[in-house]
Amino acid sequence: MIAAPVASAGALDVERIRADFPLLARRVHGKPLIYLDNANTSQKPASVIEAVDHFYRRTNANVARAVHALGDEATSAFEASRDKLARFINAPSRDEVIFTSGTTQAINLVAYSYALPRLQAGDTILVTQMEHHANIVPWQLVGARTGAKLKVAPITESGELIVERFIELLTPEVKLAAVTHVSNVLGTINPVAQLARECRKRGIPLLVDGSQAAPHLRIDVRALGCDFYALTGHKLFAPTGTGMLWARRAHLDAMPPFFGGGEMIREVRFEGTTFADPPHKFEAGTPNIAGFVGFGAALDYIESIGFERMAAREHELLLHATTAMRSIPGLRIIGEARDKAPVIAFLIDGVHAHDLATLLDHEGIAVRSGHHCAHPLMQFFGVAATLRVSLAFYNTHAEIDAFVAAVQRVRKLLA
Ligand code: PLP
């Protein structure tokens, strides 16, 4: 059974909130859009869209290069987002926040800059059965160069990490553990603080993939006690092409740069180059400036609504959707962990996931179908694909009820 919410939704005015998201008012195939694919990417509030628009209309200039007014304004707006992000995750220092294009780039940065120089044949990297490909493939790529191998911590049939097995697998040849905070398929919330404590006792650094956690759980990297935390902006109501790696300063100081180029140097000579301090050492080239200005606006928006109220509302929606979906004959939920984010993967007996998703789309309902970039997890459950409903605080009970009614109708056509 899913755990009860920890806080009340308070007086969240959902209709007013929905009006903040222009796209939610659109129709698809002549029907009002019901957007239930938030784990894929979230919709953007007008304040984020306006911040990006305003940047290009009024400020556009490159960062950290020009002394003119626009360059100064662009740099201030861009760096203000770093301050907001550092506060958002309770980072000890803003300099530990590296801007990336998303979680994928953040994990690759750790793979190539932290892991590659340290790994050798016989070493292992510990992951879990429920990882997204972004937290598997980079480790395989550096493993192929060094001889290091992956080790996989198992999960239960209900989709929970077997924590005792994870701990047993933390043996001396493990040079890094890399774990998702929240599964993008199962919705499972992993006990990251506990895993970090166990890793620390053994001197093993822990990377946390926070892509699916950051929109639903208050992230506090100090309290979690991990070494690296990666997240993506576009699932957090920010523009695509934005993300972050947080890492402990000692790691960042020891890591060589991943990309070389402008903006990341202290001095360049043909004989050799010295590098800027973190975060700039890892941010070569012109970044997605407008995107990060939008990211700052997204964080402002979240704080204006109240993160805890958003999370409480999403939990309430998760309970409502889970109960309603269980009433559909032949529907099987994949992922029944006690601690869950509002992500529900499911299958219906005799119905192909893509067929159902296509028919739902004709009803204006957007759900995801496929392997969700988690082939090993699909293999564990013995399926090729699932459907997935993922909720945001702007979704409504009425939308969930309309989705459940549509599945009931469509199921009869397909079965
Ligand atoms: N990790 C998880 C758990 C995800 O859900 C995703 C995206 O779906 C990623 C990593 C990759 O994020 P991005 O494509 O933004 O880099």
Side-chain angles (χ1 to χ4, degrees), residues 125-144:
I125 296 150
L126 179 61
V127 296
T128 80
Q129 185 75 44
M130 66 174 90
E131 299 308 318
H132 186 283
H133 296 162
N135 202 21
I136 299 174
V137 182
W139 310 122
Q140 291 175 328
L141 291 173
V142 293

Side-chain angles (χ1 to χ4, degrees), residues 295-378:
F295 201 164
L299 297 175
D300 289 343
Y301 181 80
I302 291 169
E303 297 307 343
S304 76
I305 302 294
F307 195 90
E308 281 64 28
R309 291 202 308 157
M310 284 169 50
R313 159 125 189 120
E314 287 165 348
H315 196 80
E316 185 211 300
L317 291 170
L318 169 68
L319 295 177
H320 179 75
T322 306
T323 308
M325 288 168 70
R326 283 206 183 109
S327 72
I328 301 175
L331 186 144
R332 170 181 159 217
I333 292 178
I334 313 263
E336 301 261 21
R338 201 182 124 74
D339 287 326
K340 268 190 80 162
V343 173
I344 310 171
F346 67 100
L347 283 170
I348 297 189
D349 288 345
V351 175
H352 196 287
H354 290 309
D355 293 345
L356 183 56
T358 305
L359 287 180
L360 289 174
D361 178 53
H362 292 154
E363 307 259 341
I365 301 172
V367 299
R368 176 127 185 232
S369 63
H371 54 66
H372 314 291
C373 301
H375 277 160
L377 187 61
M378 297 294 115

Side-chain angles (χ1 to χ4, degrees), residues 145-285:
R145 294 212 201 167
T146 57
K149 296 266 181 292
L150 280 188
K151 209 154 66 157
V152 183
I155 60 172
T156 63
E157 284 294 322
S158 62
E160 285 177 320
L161 179 67
I162 306 175
V163 174
E164 316 79 72
R165 289 291 296 132
F166 180 91
I167 295 170
E168 280 165 21
L169 289 169
L170 290 172
T171 47
E173 82 288 354
V174 177
K175 294 297 178 297
L176 184 89
V179 172
T180 195
H181 198 166
V182 168
S183 161
N184 64 313
V185 180
L186 308 166
T188 308
I189 302 173
N190 283 319
V192 165
Q194 183 190 1
L195 304 183
R197 269 197 307 279
E198 296 298 332
C199 286
R200 273 193 103 60
K201 273 189 217 160
R202 295 160 178 81
I204 298 170
L206 176 68
L207 175 138
V208 180
D209 172 352
S211 311
Q212 298 293 345
H216 309 295
L217 306 175
R218 179 65 88 177
I219 306 303
D220 180 337
V221 291
R222 292 190 231 198
L224 288 175
C226 56
D227 293 81
F228 303 97
Y229 199 95
L231 63 79
T232 266
H234 68 90
K235 297 181 201 289
L236 252 181
F237 318 108
T240 50
T242 61
M244 175 214 79
L245 173 72
W246 170 82
R248 290 178 187 277
R249 177 65 192 237
H251 293 317
L252 292 175
D253 284 339
M255 284 159 60
F258 177 31
F259 287 123
E263 302 301 338
M264 47 78 76
I265 52 87
R266 198 182 302 281
E267 193 189 8
V268 178
R269 292 174 182 273
F270 284 117
E271 298 73 36
T273 293
T274 51
F275 302 113
D277 288 331
H280 305 294
K281 178 167 115 176
F282 301 102
E283 294 178 359

